[in-house]
Amino acid sequence: MAFQTLLFYLFGAVLLTAAVATVTLRNMVHAALSLILSFFTAAMLWMLLEAEFLSILLVLVYIGAVLVLFLFVVMMVERHTPTIHHRRNYRLVALAVAGVMAAELGAALIAPDFVPASAPMPAPLGHSNTQALGSVLYTDYALAFEAAAVALLVAIVGAIALTLRARPDHHRQNPAQQSRVRKQDRLRLTDGRSEPPC
Amino acid sequence: MLSLTHFMLLSGALFAIGVAGVFVNRRHALVLLMSLELILLAVNTNFIAASHYLQDLGGQAFALFVLTIAAAEIAIGLAIVVVVFRSRETIDAEDLSEVRG
C-alpha cells in the first residue's frame, strides 16, 4: 500500500506541474505537449484507481486522437500568429479566483462532515474492469450510450461542415451532371475510316 | 494509506489550475480550450475516484460520457478556431466581437 501512496504523490506532482505549465507557457506547442503529459499522468492515476479500461481509453483515444489533433491545429495556427500581447494582466485575478476555489474545495473535503469511504479491497485477480463496465453500459446506461454516439456523429458532421471549403482549383465530381449525361453527348459512331483529328 | 480525500484534493487543485488558466489566457482561444480540457480532466478524476471508493461503476460510466462529450466539444471548438483563423488571421478571443449587437 505504501508503494501506491508513493505512486500517487509522484504522479500527482507531475500532473499538477504539467497543468501549471499548460496554462502558463508562452509557446503554444510546449503548452499542448504539457497538456498531453498531464493527461498521461492522469491516466496513470486512473490505473491506480482500478479503472483500467478508462485509463487505456484516455491514452489510446484521447491522447492518440484528440490531443494530437490539438497539436496539429496549434502548429497550423501558431506559425502565422504573433504572440498575443496581454492588454491587462489577469494573473492576480486568476490567482485570487483559483485560490478561493481551491480553498473552498479543500475546506469542504477536510470538513468533519465529509466522511470518506474506507479504501475498498483490491479487485480479485480474474476481475475484468472492461467487462464490468460494459455490462452496466449496455444495460443501465444504454440510452445515454446511444445519445453519446449521436453527439459524436453531430460533432463529426459539424466539424467537417465548418472546415470544408470549396477551392476554385479543386477537381470534384458532379453526380447530377454525371447521371444526366446521355449517349449522344459522349459517343460518336464513325464508319471506320481515318479522319482528321478534331 | 490513500483515501478518497487525497484524490479529491488533487482533482480540486487541478480544477483550480484550469479555472486560473481561463483567466490568465482569456484572449487566446486555443489555450482557453486547453484549460477547459484540464477542468474536464479534474472532473473525470473525481468521478473515477468516487466510483472506486464507493464501489459503484456508475461513476466510471459517467466519466466515459464526459470524455465523449469533451471529444465532441474539442472537435467543434478546433473547427471554429480554424475557421476564425482562416477568415481573420488571428485567434485573439477578444477581437471576435462582430456579432455584438
Side-chain angles (χ1 to χ4, degrees), chain A residues 134-154:
Chain A
S135 68
V136 294
L137 214 52
Y138 291 115
T139 53
D140 295 349
Y141 301 99
L143 195 62
F145 193 68
E146 304 282 335
V150 172
L152 278 183
L153 180 68
V154 170

Side-chain angles (χ1 to χ4, degrees), chain A residues 23 28 49 62 86 162-163, chain B residues 24-25 28 37 52 83 86:
Chain A
V23 298
M28 266 202 289
L49 286 169
Y62 220 79
H86 293 253
L162 276 174
T163 51
Chain B
V24 171
N25 300 296
H28 205 309
E37 289 288 295
H52 177 63
V83 168
R86 252 189 221 146

Side-chain angles (χ1 to χ4, degrees), chain A residues 92-157:
Chain A
L92 281 179
V93 185
L95 275 181
V97 171
V100 168
M101 200 167 266
E104 277 183 0
L105 287 172
L109 286 173
I110 294 174
D113 295 341
F114 182 81
V115 182
S118 57
M121 295 299 289
L125 197 56
H127 181 258
S128 165
N129 172 248
T130 312
Q131 199 176 13
L133 191 57
S135 68
V136 294
L137 214 52
Y138 291 115
T139 53
D140 295 349
Y141 301 99
L143 195 62
F145 193 68
E146 304 282 335
V150 172
L152 278 183
L153 180 68
V154 170
I156 294 172
V157 174

Side-chain angles (χ1 to χ4, degrees), chain B residues 9-85:
Chain B
L9 279 177
L10 180 69
S11 60
L14 192 60
F15 190 92
I17 290 173
V19 172
V22 172
F23 276 92
V24 171
N25 300 296
R26 48 174 288 181
R27 307 184 39 141
H28 205 309
L30 272 174
V31 190
L32 277 181
L33 283 177
M34 289 186 199
S35 306
L36 287 184
E37 289 288 295
L38 283 181
I39 292 174
L40 288 171
L41 185 69
V43 172
N44 268 340
T45 305
N46 236 349
F47 268 126
I48 289 177
S51 158
H52 177 63
Y53 281 96
L54 302 179
Q55 289 290 298
D56 183 356
L57 275 175
Q60 289 190 27
F62 207 89
L64 184 67
F65 295 138
V66 173
L67 270 185
T68 312
I69 300 303
E73 170 231 320
I74 284 306
I76 297 288
L78 286 180
I80 291 175
V81 167
V82 167
V83 168
V84 165
F85 175 72

Side-chain angles (χ1 to χ4, degrees), chain A residues 38-103:
Chain A
S38 57
F39 268 75
F40 193 80
T41 42
M44 296 301 112
L45 284 173
W46 293 7
M47 192 71 91
L48 213 54
L49 286 169
E50 295 178 12
E52 290 93 2
F53 177 72
L54 283 178
S55 171
I56 299 293
L57 191 84
L58 193 73
V59 174
L60 288 187
V61 177
Y62 220 79
I63 298 177
V66 177
L67 291 185
V68 171
L69 177 73
F70 224 112
L71 212 50
F72 276 142
V73 175
V74 164
M75 286 175 179
M76 188 180 96
V77 168
E78 199 204 23
R79 210 160 59 93
H80 305 279
T81 315
T83 326
I84 295 173
H85 296 291
H86 293 253
R87 284 190 201 130
R88 276 175 55 196
N89 205 344
Y90 289 101
R91 210 160 286 167
L92 281 179
V93 185
L95 275 181
V97 171
V100 168
M101 200 167 266

